[in-house]
Amino acid sequence: MNITEILNKIGPSTLRRAQGSGTLGYTKEDLKTLLAAEGEDKKLLFAKALQSKLEHLDNYVHLRGLIEYSNVCTKYCLYCGVRSKNPNFERYTLSDEEVIECAKLAHELGYGSVALQSGERSDAAFVDKITYLVQEIKKIDNGSLGITLSLGEQTEETYRRWFEAGAHRYLLRIEASNEELYYKIHPRDEKHDFQTRLNCIDTLLKLGYQTGTGVMVGLPFQTLDDLADDLLFFKQKDVAMVGMGPFIPHPDTPLWQYRDQIPSAEQRMELTLKMIATLRLMMPEINMVAATANQTVDPQGREKAIAVGANVIMPNLTPNEFRENYLIYPDKACVNDKPDQCQTCLDVRLAAIGHKVLYNAWGDSVAFTKKH
Ligand code: 5AD
Ligand code: FES
């Protein structure tokens, strides 16, 4: 089947709405064809994806003020610059006051939501601290800020406590939905267990979080088959949010040695855009983030992601002095920007591509809201 035929599998939007969250009928082969699209075919895919987004979600972009709470991490994923086995930078944890100040700033800037992210810890002190911070953030202007957590694998009890404290979204990328590939990018040990990761995603869904997952694109050993399966995984789990960004090799990590065996930065970017566009057609009402990694490999990367189907941006609110110690990957974008500069910059950049920020709103996933 050619691209036009595949794209035409999408019925009129009324029919699509009647069917619920989406367009069905894409086979794995169809997905691989879409992911391999080049030239005019690729343009057609991108145009269709944008059209689908505008039809279902309008031209709004939602913001989540990102607070990188701590780079202390007990894990050592083979791709990640803040892995515990990297001694080449200082470890920090923000004070309670710093976190609350960031959240207040998010509120003042009209961001509507914050995302609290951190290296992975699951000790009792950490769990208590996060519970406390969530409760404190909730007190700002009577619970007006939405709260997303991105704090890795935890027990069901912990996830429940944080939910009850007021967090309502959780991001936990599967990173690679193919178990074999998962173990090529994670150590094979009890700390990095694939099944545990899957169970955590299921638990988050069960507890009622707006659950987000995602993968890195352009990983060593990753094939088009893997990426098509990743898309089917998101659909099968019926997640509310997805984040995908290009893999960026970090010199202090084991995967650095494969840097010459992966697609070029430009190819990883293009492949990420095709993943976003294809998923937008499969899941028209989910929230999809234009990840910062996109902007790192291409100065226009975030806008490009928005223009092919993403609808969320996470501007960094971490105090500038800590940002250079949260380099999950090198040359991370916006490390030196001040929050108010970020805001003007975003408004202008988004206006240039016909989009606008929806200020002072939680910006929940429409797919999730309809389902519940
Ligand atoms: N390149 C791109 N993304 C990365 N992440 C971690 N390391 C890298 C890297 N080297 C992503 C992972 C993780 C998220 C916080 O950052 O997908 O879930
Ligand atoms: Fe696992 Fe950083 S060590 S994502």
Side-chain angles (χ1 to χ4, degrees):
M1 225 186 262
N2 67 32
I3 295 271
T4 314
E5 285 169 325
I6 295 171
L7 291 174
N8 281 342
K9 278 193 173 182
I10 311 165
S13 57
T14 39
L15 173 67
R16 197 157 67 240
R17 282 200 194 96
Q19 288 170 338
S21 68
T23 323
L24 292 152
Y26 281 150
T27 63
K28 184 167 166 189
E29 281 313 305
D30 292 341
L31 297 178
K32 283 168 65 180
T33 306
L34 294 177
L35 295 177
E38 291 299 339
E40 285 306 309
D41 286 350
K42 186 172 74 180
K43 275 193 201 152
L44 210 57
L45 164 65
F46 288 171
K48 266 274 194 196
L50 176 61
Q51 184 194 342
S52 168
K53 183 182 73 166
L54 295 176
E55 228 174 78
H56 289 90
L57 306 176
D58 211 337
N59 64 346
Y60 290 118
V61 172
H62 304 299
L63 301 184
R64 320 276 180 241
L66 176 64
I67 307 172
E68 293 159 333
Y69 172 59
S70 170
N71 62 2
V72 176
C73 188
T74 55
K75 294 178 100 171
Y76 32 92
C77 305
L78 304 181
Y79 44 83
C80 181
V82 307
R83 64 203 304 271
S84 58
K85 297 190 177 182
N86 180 6
N88 296 339
F89 60 92
E90 254 178 71
R91 300 280 166 176
Y92 74 86
T93 299
L94 299 184
S95 68
D96 299 355
E97 293 70 34
E98 282 163 337
V99 173
I100 308 302
E101 279 312 305
C102 281
K104 284 187 178 155
L105 179 61
H107 183 50
E108 275 161 31
L109 294 170
Y111 285 3
S113 285
V114 290
L116 196 60
Q117 189 175 74
S118 164
E120 196 169 309
R121 278 176 59 189
S122 50
D123 54 281
F126 181 79
V127 172
D128 289 348
K129 177 62 84 182
I130 297 297
T131 310
Y132 169 76
L133 290 172
V134 169
Q135 287 164 341
E136 288 303 300
I137 294 171
K138 268 290 151 199
K139 287 182 188 160
I140 298 170
D141 197 15
N142 284 323
S144 62
L145 281 172
I147 304 181
T148 307
L149 299 180
S150 175
L151 306 167
E153 294 169 12
Q154 304 290 342
T155 63
E156 177 166 342
E157 182 48 34
T158 298
Y159 285 146
R160 185 177 291 115
R161 268 184 77 190
W162 292 345
F163 190 78
E164 285 167 359
H168 66 133
R169 305 189 186 109
Y170 204 104
L171 304 173
L172 183 63
R173 288 188 179 179
I174 186 74
E175 313 295 0
S177 66
N178 173 342
E179 182 167 2
E180 230 172 276
L181 178 59
Y182 190 89
Y183 284 120
K184 287 183 173 152
I185 62 168
H186 296 92
R188 196 182 274 272
D189 63 21
E190 71 293 342
K191 263 188 191 296
H192 301 83
D193 186 64
F194 179 69
Q195 194 56 48
T196 305
R197 175 72 57 132
L198 282 179
N199 294 345
C200 282
I201 293 172
D202 287 340
T203 303
L204 291 164
L205 287 162
K206 183 183 83 180
L207 290 175
Y209 277 99
Q210 280 180 56
T211 304
T213 189
V215 294
M216 285 172 285
V217 179
L219 287 163
F221 315 111
Q222 189 181 49
T223 64
L224 229 45
D225 262 83
D226 292 326
L227 290 169
D229 282 332
D230 289 337
L231 295 174
L232 292 168
F233 172 82
F234 304 147
K235 180 86 196 167
Q236 186 237 329
K237 291 287 173 197
D238 199 16
V239 292
M241 318 180 288
V242 170
M244 296 183 279
F247 165 64
I248 303 169
H250 190 299
D252 297 332
T253 63
L255 290 192
W256 177 250
Q257 64 187 298
Y258 301 111
R259 64 193 176 284
D260 298 328
Q261 295 168 42
I262 56 172
S264 70
E266 198 189 334
Q267 289 167 330
R268 279 177 275 142
M269 180 74 214
E270 284 297 298
L271 202 47
T272 302
L273 295 177
K274 288 189 260 186
M275 286 287 280
I276 293 173
T278 304
L279 189 62
R280 178 52 75 203
L281 295 173
M282 296 168 72
M283 305 181 80
E285 295 179 333
I286 61 168
N287 276 348
M288 247 194 285
V289 65
T292 311
N294 290 299
Q295 201 187 351
T296 298
V297 298
D298 177 341
Q300 302 291 321
R302 270 194 322 197
E303 291 88 314
K304 286 183 182 172
I306 296 289
V308 301
N311 68 324
V312 173
I313 288 182
M314 297 170 66
N316 198 341
L317 289 180
T318 313
N320 287 71
E321 70 228 71
F322 298 107
R323 289 190 199 180
E324 62 187 43
N325 287 321
Y326 202 88
L327 295 185
I328 302 173
Y329 42 81
D331 303 321
K332 215 167 118 202
C334 292
V335 165
N336 296 314
D337 292 8
K338 293 264 184 301
D340 51 337
Q341 289 170 339
C342 251
Q343 183 168 28
T344 322
C345 158
L346 270 176
D347 282 333
V348 172
R349 283 166 173 246
L350 290 175
I353 55 166
H355 280 70
K356 55 178 181 275
V357 172
L358 187 63
Y359 285 105
N360 301 305
W362 282 12
D364 281 335
S365 152
V366 172
F368 180 90
T369 310
K370 280 195 182 165
K371 198 166 126 190
H372 293 79

